[in-house]
Amino acid sequence: MADSSAPSPRATSNRSTTPQSSGFSDYISTGWAERVDAEVVPREQAAFAAARRERLSQLHQGQRLIIPAGSAKVRSNDTDYPFRAHSTFAHVTGWGSDVVAGSVLVMEPTADGHDATLYFRPAAGRDTSEFYANPDVGEFWTGPRPSLANVATDLGVATLPLAEFDAVLDRVDATTLIVRDADRDVTDQVDGRRLLAADSEALEHDGDDELSRDLSELRLVKDSYEVTEMRAAVDATQMGFNDVVSDLPNIIEHSRGERLVEGTFNRRARAEGNTVGYDTIAASGPHACVLHWTRNDGPVKPGDLILIDAGIELDSYYTADITRTLPISGTFTEVQRRVYDAVLEAADAAFAIVRPGIKFRDIHAEAMRVIAEKTAEWGLLPVSAEESLEADKQFHRRYMVHGTSHHLGIDVHDCAAARRDMYLDGILEPGMVFTIEPGLYFQPDDITVPEEYRGIGVRIEDDILVTEDGAENLSVNIPRTADAVEAWIARS
Ligand code: GLY
Ligand code: MN
Ligand code: MN
């Protein structure tokens, strides 16, 4: 029987009845039709991933770069959460939902750049016990894996078996950098080798942090493939929102209607994409005042609003991030509409200033100007809007404690390791994609506001692309104005 590089199966001895005899293993390893590799052509994103690797290479000349995909995380005992590769790995390989868990991209320095090699566990032979007896990675259990040759063509990158990654570890020295949070085991092994190389400074991992920073900053401006994916993610998400609006009668009927909102949206996410880009927020009534309400176990009652913050992640991992706030009965009350219109005005004012050359943080400032003016106009602030906007006051922020925008892409909160100068204090460039998502949240027990406002939470979130001379709201076709939202519900 041939050796397998697969990990040993986890503790399943109390459940496993697979025969251990040589008679059985000899028998099951024969009688299979010859496996013929399917024809593959390079996937569209392969060329874009190559260009990203080239830019990364220029930033890290002479350094060995290790970018693991990571492995599935345990949910309980021997069951895992669905595997999702680390975003940096997906970005520089172009591999998405079909990535083989445990893969590692290595960029080996050369005289004038880097050679990239993808190490992964290829299909195991039928003469290995892994084939039929390993519930974690065996073909009988989790399906076939692609061959090395197939992936090399598909992604346009050299491939080697994961078992040969040990040779890379043997070469690890002070010039080796790793994306630390992708795969704990690989990081520990690299740290160990760097320590052996008598490079105690390497364990402070400043270089690793610079690698993560650069990988984050490479994603600030999207290429044309990414922009196409973002549009598609928004379109899929629009279908999910339409499903929820159509399902409102059933949702209202159920005692945990918020769960039905989640289920209806997530059904569409699994049908059209990989999954949801983050846990769906289905926040009805006062739950809308909890910014990341994902428990979703409440009822959806006519007369209340429901805030739905949801986004579909495609197989390429690009995700939308969209919020709509709906009147469950189909029409806004007067006070609900007043709050809704204020938030919409803040969103529209922020969108109106977006163009190349402005600062990212100016978008937030513009939204906050409107939020301060509206809350002052309603008599909610102890000072004027102008005074509240002063840096040491900011009283209006009591009703919107979160930021207005974040970059969006392969992570819902994309480019998180970018330097402040490039992100919050950065200058907008064509190709950037981010959210505009102002809100107003009046907690049910907030005695600074009249009773009629308490328990109302409204957020309107759109996904914005910076163009050559302005901006495009990618999610503009999902109804946004109070009238359009009411018409949407009436139509459904
Ligand atoms: N869905 C989380 C956010 O809007 O940032
Ligand atoms: Mn967001
Ligand atoms: Mn959101």
Side-chain angles (χ1 to χ4, degrees):
M1 176 151 307
D3 277 338
S4 163
S5 65
S8 307
R10 286 174 278 186
T12 53
S13 55
N14 280 329
R15 292 191 295 115
S16 175
T17 57
T18 311
Q20 305 278 320
S21 69
S22 61
F24 170 76
S25 56
D26 288 348
Y27 185 63
I28 198 169
S29 66
T30 59
W32 303 107
E34 192 185 342
R35 203 190 299 264
V36 182
D37 251 3
E39 281 285 315
V40 288
V41 292
R43 65 180 72 183
E44 188 189 351
Q45 55 268 53
F48 291 92
R52 297 168 199 156
R53 288 195 298 274
E54 181 54 35
R55 287 164 62 205
L56 183 65
S57 171
Q58 286 164 15
L59 292 170
H60 290 276
Q61 293 285 313
Q63 292 174 313
R64 178 178 300 104
L65 311 177
I66 299 179
I67 305 171
S71 299
K73 294 175 177 55
V74 173
R75 182 173 185 275
S76 74
N77 186 25
D78 58 352
T79 57
D80 295 332
Y81 290 103
F83 172 65
R84 185 191 191 273
H86 198 268
S87 296
T88 56
F89 175 90
H91 190 243
V92 294
T93 60
W95 222 353
S97 62
D98 56 340
V99 64
V100 175
S103 303
V104 186
L105 180 76
V106 177
M107 291 179 56
E108 193 68 31
T110 62
D112 57 353
H114 289 81
D115 284 338
T117 303
L118 191 49
Y119 294 81
F120 71 96
R121 184 177 297 118
R126 273 84 166 251
D127 57 347
T128 63
S129 61
E130 174 197 319
F131 176 49
Y132 60 88
N134 188 324
D136 294 330
V137 296
E139 184 170 333
F140 261 56
W141 298 80
T142 59
R145 290 191 296 274
S147 69
L148 292 165
N150 235 326
V151 172
T153 305
D154 187 1
L155 299 177
V157 66
T159 54
L160 281 175
L162 187 62
E164 292 185 32
F165 180 66
D166 282 350
V168 177
L169 288 173
D170 288 342
R171 294 197 294 275
V172 162
D173 57 16
T175 70
T176 303
L177 306 180
I178 182 168
V179 174
R180 299 189 67 78
D181 60 342
D183 190 312
R184 165 68 56 193
D185 287 346
V186 178
T187 301
D188 285 349
Q189 291 180 67
V190 167
D191 279 348
R193 304 296 176 120
R194 289 194 294 208
L195 196 59
L196 280 177
D199 178 34
S200 55
E201 271 180 33
L203 290 187
E204 287 167 19
H205 50 75
D206 290 352
D208 296 344
D209 295 344
E210 282 168 22
L211 174 61
S212 288
R213 177 199 73 195
D214 292 340
L215 283 161
S216 231
E217 291 176 358
L218 282 179
R219 285 155 54 190
L220 283 165
V221 174
K222 271 57 183 173
D223 58 38
S224 62
Y225 171 80
E226 294 177 294
V227 171
T228 302
E229 288 300 290
M230 291 307 300
R231 288 185 193 283
V234 169
D235 289 348
T237 299
Q238 178 167 5
M239 294 169 85
F241 272 90
N242 283 335
D243 291 345
V244 170
V245 170
S246 298
D247 203 23
L248 272 175
N250 292 323
I251 289 164
I252 291 165
E253 281 290 302
H254 199 281
S255 60
R256 293 207 293 181
E258 291 176 346
R259 286 285 165 92
L260 264 65
V261 172
E262 177 187 325
T264 297
F265 185 86
N266 293 18
R267 178 177 196 258
R268 181 64 74 171
R270 288 294 283 164
E272 302 298 324
N274 181 38
T275 181
V276 288
Y278 52 92
D279 287 344
T280 295
I281 296 168
S284 195
H287 289 160
C289 301
V290 181
L291 299 177
H292 287 168
W293 176 260
T294 53
R295 204 185 308 160
N296 300 346
D297 61 355
V300 175
K301 295 193 240 167
D304 283 345
L305 298 175
I306 181 164
L307 182 159
I308 305 167
D309 183 343
I312 292 181
E313 172 186 287
L314 301 180
D315 286 321
S316 58
Y317 286 170
Y318 289 86
T319 187
D321 177 13
I322 292 166
T323 306
R324 290 293 183 264
T325 307
L326 315 173
I328 294 154
S329 66
T331 47
F332 290 95
T333 65
E334 193 273 328
V335 64
Q336 287 170 347
R337 186 178 270 257
R338 191 185 316 149
V339 176
Y340 190 93
D341 284 346
V343 173
L344 185 67
E345 191 175 324
D348 288 347
F351 177 71
I353 69 162
V354 177
R355 57 183 161 73
I358 71 157
K359 273 195 172 170
F360 184 80
R361 63 161 65 253
D362 292 344
I363 305 165
H364 175 66
E366 187 61 10
M368 288 310 94
R369 179 185 62 73
V370 175
I371 294 296
E373 284 172 5
K374 291 294 170 186
T375 49
E377 185 186 314
W378 300 336
L380 309 186
L381 303 182
V383 296
S384 68
E386 198 176 39
E387 192 178 340
S388 187
L389 285 163
E390 291 170 9
D392 65 341
K393 303 274 184 5
Q394 300 285 310
F395 299 139
H396 55 284
R397 295 297 302 279
R398 179 182 180 108
Y399 311 114
M400 180 185 148
V401 296
H402 62 78
T404 302
S405 297
H406 57 80
H407 278 266
L408 181 67
I410 212 160
D411 282 323
V412 62
H413 298 146
D414 215 35
C415 315
R419 279 167 288 193
R420 200 179 172 89
D421 279 0
M422 310 276 286
Y423 195 138
L424 208 50
D425 294 325
I427 306 292
L428 297 194
E429 293 179 46
M432 288 182 166
V433 177
F434 49 77
T435 65
I436 291 182
E437 51 176 306
L440 276 170
Y441 314 87
F442 300 110
Q443 303 294 333
D445 56 352
D446 188 340
I447 56 175
T448 70
V449 299
E451 208 165 332
E452 59 175 355
Y453 287 94
R454 294 180 203 162
I456 291 179
V458 172
R459 177 161 68 252
I460 303 169
E461 176 173 27
D462 286 287
D463 299 345
I464 311 300
L465 168 69
V466 183
T467 60
E468 291 299 327
D469 56 1
E472 179 184 345
N473 181 345
L474 301 177
S475 44
V476 73
N477 291 328
I478 305 178
R480 296 178 71 250
T481 67
D483 286 346
V485 167
E486 288 183 351
W488 186 23
I489 297 170
R491 269 199 310 278
S492 303

